[in-house]
Amino acid sequence: MNNMVENNKIVEVKNLNKSFPGVKALVDFHISLKKGEVHCLIGENGAGKSTFIKILSGAYHPDSGTIQIETNSYPHLKPAEARELGIQTVYQEDILIPQISAAENIFLGSSAMGRKFFLSYRMINKQAEELAESYGIELEVGKPYEELSPSDQQFTKILKALAQKPKVLILDEPTAVFNKKDIKLVTDLVKRIRDQGVGIIYITHHLEEVIEVADRVTVLRDGKKVATHHRQDEKFDSDKLANEMVGRPVDLFYKKKKHETGTVAFQIKDLKLSKDGPTVNFEVRKGEILGFAGLKGSGRTEIVRAIFGADPKFSGKIIRNGKDITPDSPGEAVERGISLLTENKKVNGLCLGMAVAANISLVGLDNLGRFFLNLKKEEQEAKKFVEKLNIKTPNLSQEVQFLSGGNQQKVVLGKWLFKGVELLIVDEPTQGIDVSAKVEVYELLSGLAVEGKSIIMISSDMPELIALSDRVIVIKDGAITRELTAENITEENILQGFMGGAK
């Protein structure tokens, strides 16, 4: 533990609470960080990790609780105040300027950017090179940020934070863009930063990284701290940590009606997204909900977009009832019975300024007349799906933008059902909608499966995934790591599949 003593805490938060409408994101949360320590924070999506780091960096204000930085206590921090206190955050999202060099991004906003009115690019490049070398990073600092590899872009973000000489460094999924070989470059860098006395809060979904770098690890579940373990503790083990991340009460799970699935309807054969990428093979049965589990960035969305013809692929076939129907475009996919409800429904699934009826009929206009649209038939068909899906709208001419999130989602479903597709691919079907609307969507998907539709469902909501899926495929780094059926579809097995626990 780097000869740390008990009284060298840089950060200590106590009784931190933060709520959003309908959600308690943090409940009486407490955690501390010491100088020269890596403290990992782990938990499922929605556990409260991001909320905590946004509070510590000043982006959010807590509802209650205290934040102690060294000897001073604060009810909340402002972003500029957090930075002045030595807190630097490297977010997973990209916040740097693409067109300027890595060196300029590293020192943007700092005194190193120039002397008086003149900008010394040579000085900036020299300082950036020295900073990178001091941490053992090889980086073309003069290269435009947008031309760097994803891993070098991540190193640039980390160096930008280090240029401010932080006391506290928050790393949010720092290896998300790295391949397995390069992850060690990050973990070695983290250890070097720690050895210089910086306290590091390290958020990751990969338990093998936790075991590699953590001095302590805190487990969050549903906004509450479950436990904190030191490296020498008995529970400092990937399987035991995964166990602590689960344990949700059974009554939170939707109860799906059981039914028998039919024969294989669609097969995905030898799908490769790139020349050197893994080969993906799986099948979907008639009347089956096939769950896709995996972290964001694991490749799950990329796989279904390739199936739908929205993104290019290196190789692979989609077989329907024994016939090759591989689409080269979304239009071909729709004509061959495949639909995709994207994660961002408002951008990719709906025309918000158009009426409910027009949105429902949008991809099935060929069903409304050969040369002229039969508006009466459009109204009749739209009304049928509004009633079938229980879409709450004052009338069929209501603009979709004025419906609730749950009803907007139903309109997207109605659009594809009107077209008559047989394979529904749904990406995060209930993201951003309230609990009661979620249950309605669950009923709809379950009902469609009973009717014989085949469904692939990507979801980050673990209870949703477990309750609705007849099978679950776990995706990690673009590959299928395991397939779960029946009683084996558990939180623990899913987590171990994409977080690195033992099989």
Side-chain angles (χ1 to χ4, degrees):
M1 293 266 296
N2 306 309
N3 300 317
M4 289 185 298
V5 292
E6 211 41 50
N7 63 352
N8 64 351
K9 291 177 183 175
I10 316 173
V11 176
E12 185 166 23
V13 302
K14 295 179 180 178
N15 305 115
L16 217 57
N17 289 276
K18 179 65 178 177
S19 294
F20 300 99
V23 178
K24 289 185 176 180
L26 285 176
V27 181
D28 291 329
F29 182 61
H30 54 281
I31 192 173
S32 65
L33 176 70
K34 301 173 184 178
K35 293 179 183 178
E37 172 189 45
V38 179
H39 195 146
C40 285
L41 193 58
I42 62 171
E44 293 181 65
N45 292 328
K49 307 183 300 295
S50 294
T51 300
F52 166 64
I53 65 171
K54 286 178 178 176
I55 287 173
L56 193 56
S57 63
Y60 289 165
H61 285 189
D63 300 328
S64 61
T66 60
I67 304 167
Q68 185 170 319
I69 309 296
E70 296 185 309
T71 58
N72 297 317
S73 291
Y74 306 84
H76 59 78
L77 296 172
K78 296 177 181 178
E81 189 176 27
R83 290 192 295 271
E84 286 171 9
L85 291 167
I87 300 171
Q88 288 288 326
T89 306
V90 179
Y91 288 107
Q92 191 173 354
E93 299 84 9
D94 226 336
I95 56 171
L96 300 189
I97 300 174
Q99 296 81 13
I100 66 176
S101 71
E104 290 171 282
N105 268 296
I106 289 168
F107 292 110
L108 188 65
S110 75
S111 58
M113 277 299 280
R115 299 291 181 268
K116 296 184 179 179
F117 303 106
F118 297 99
L119 198 61
S120 174
Y121 290 106
R122 192 168 75 173
M123 178 67 73
I124 290 168
N125 283 352
K126 185 173 183 294
Q127 290 186 355
E129 284 173 356
E130 290 173 352
L131 181 66
E133 286 173 7
S134 70
Y135 287 99
I137 296 172
E138 293 183 11
L139 180 67
E140 295 181 73
V141 299
K143 198 170 184 179
Y145 178 77
E146 63 186 350
E147 294 180 15
L148 297 174
S149 67
S151 56
D152 281 348
Q153 288 180 348
Q154 182 72 334
F155 281 134
T156 302
K157 289 193 285 183
I158 295 173
L159 287 171
K160 181 176 178 63
L162 293 173
Q164 306 304 315
K165 297 182 169 44
K167 296 177 182 177
V168 176
L169 180 63
I170 302 170
L171 298 174
D172 183 13
E173 296 286 356
T175 64
V177 297
F178 286 77
N179 58 40
K180 286 184 179 180
K181 183 183 73 174
D182 290 339
I183 284 175
K184 192 172 188 309
L185 296 175
V186 180
T187 55
D188 287 347
L189 173 60
V190 168
K191 292 174 185 177
R192 284 195 293 272
I193 298 168
R194 175 196 65 189
D195 292 343
Q196 294 188 16
V198 178
I200 300 169
I201 294 174
Y202 190 104
I203 293 179
T204 182
H205 279 99
H206 300 291
L207 292 178
E208 61 267 30
E209 289 177 40
V210 174
I211 302 303
E212 175 69 20
V213 302
D215 297 304
R216 283 192 293 164
V217 56
T218 289
V219 183
L220 259 171
R221 186 172 71 226
D222 299 327
K224 299 176 184 177
K225 174 179 171 177
V226 176
T228 294
H229 300 294
H230 294 263
R231 173 168 284 278
Q232 61 268 33
D233 289 354
E234 180 187 332
K235 288 191 176 180
F236 197 87
D237 169 87
S238 59
D239 285 346
K240 290 172 182 174
L241 291 172
N243 285 337
E244 288 190 334
M245 290 167 61
V246 301
R248 218 182 307 266
V250 174
D251 57 10
L252 287 180
F253 288 76
Y254 169 74
K255 305 293 190 297
K256 188 179 88 167
K257 294 174 184 174
K258 299 293 182 185
H259 75 280
E260 293 294 322
T261 58
T263 56
V264 172
F266 293 85
Q267 292 174 282
I268 284 67
K269 283 192 168 184
D270 301 326
L271 177 66
K272 293 183 73 170
L273 303 186
S274 62
K275 182 179 179 180
D276 299 322
T279 302
V280 174
N281 286 282
F282 65 92
E283 59 189 32
V284 195
R285 293 179 173 274
K286 191 176 175 68
E288 177 183 39
I289 298 179
L290 175 65
F292 261 39
L295 303 173
K296 290 193 175 183
S298 63
R300 55 187 193 170
T301 296
E302 289 78 2
I303 289 170
V304 298
R305 285 181 61 83
I307 293 169
F308 188 60
D311 288 344
K313 56 185 176 294
F314 178 74
S315 64
K317 293 181 179 180
I318 291 82
I319 310 295
R320 179 183 178 185
N321 299 325
K323 182 182 177 183
D324 185 353
I325 61 158
T326 309
D328 291 322
S329 68
E332 285 188 7
V334 172
E335 292 304 318
R336 294 167 190 181
I338 303 172
S339 64
L340 172 62
L341 283 75
T342 62
E343 183 177 358
N344 194 339
K345 284 91 187 167
K346 290 188 178 182
V347 173
N348 299 318
L350 295 167
C351 294
L352 295 176
M354 288 172 57
V356 169
N359 268 280
I360 289 174
S361 65
L362 192 61
V363 296
L365 294 177
D366 54 331
N367 296 338
L368 298 175
R370 190 172 178 184
F371 299 108
F372 300 99
L373 292 182
N374 185 332
L375 297 181
K376 185 175 181 181
K377 184 178 180 182
E378 179 187 52
E379 184 178 342
Q380 290 171 343
E381 291 296 316
K383 185 178 180 182
K384 182 170 72 176
F385 284 105
V386 165
E387 291 173 354
K388 175 182 174 72
L389 303 178
N390 192 26
I391 298 171
K392 295 179 177 63
T393 177
N395 51 61
L396 294 174
S397 59
Q398 174 79 338
E399 291 182 14
V400 169
Q401 63 184 318
F402 298 117
L403 301 185
S404 68
N407 284 298
Q408 288 179 346
Q409 176 68 303
K410 292 181 195 175
V411 172
V412 181
L413 272 172
K415 175 180 75 172
W416 294 118
L417 295 176
F418 175 72
K419 179 62 179 174
V421 297
E422 292 301 319
L423 173 61
L424 281 164
I425 304 172
V426 292
D427 194 349
E428 302 289 6
T430 62
Q431 189 174 69
I433 62 178
D434 61 37
V435 174
S436 59
K438 279 187 177 185
V439 173
E440 286 193 70
V441 173
Y442 296 163
E443 294 282 359
L444 285 172
L445 293 177
S446 298
L448 292 170
V450 170
E451 290 176 16
K453 301 291 185 187
S454 301
I455 299 171
I456 296 174
M457 181 184 72
I458 296 174
S459 179
S460 300
D461 186 318
M462 198 72 80
E464 176 174 283
L465 200 62
I466 293 169
L468 289 179
S469 302
D470 297 294
R471 281 186 300 137
V472 170
I473 285 175
V474 184
I475 309 291
K476 183 179 181 183
D477 299 326
I480 296 174
T481 60
R482 56 176 64 184
E483 180 181 318
L484 304 170
T485 57
E487 67 276 2
N488 290 321
I489 303 176
T490 65
E491 288 187 273
E492 183 178 352
N493 285 339
I494 293 170
L495 280 168
Q496 287 176 348
F498 63 67
M499 295 188 71
K503 289 189 178 182

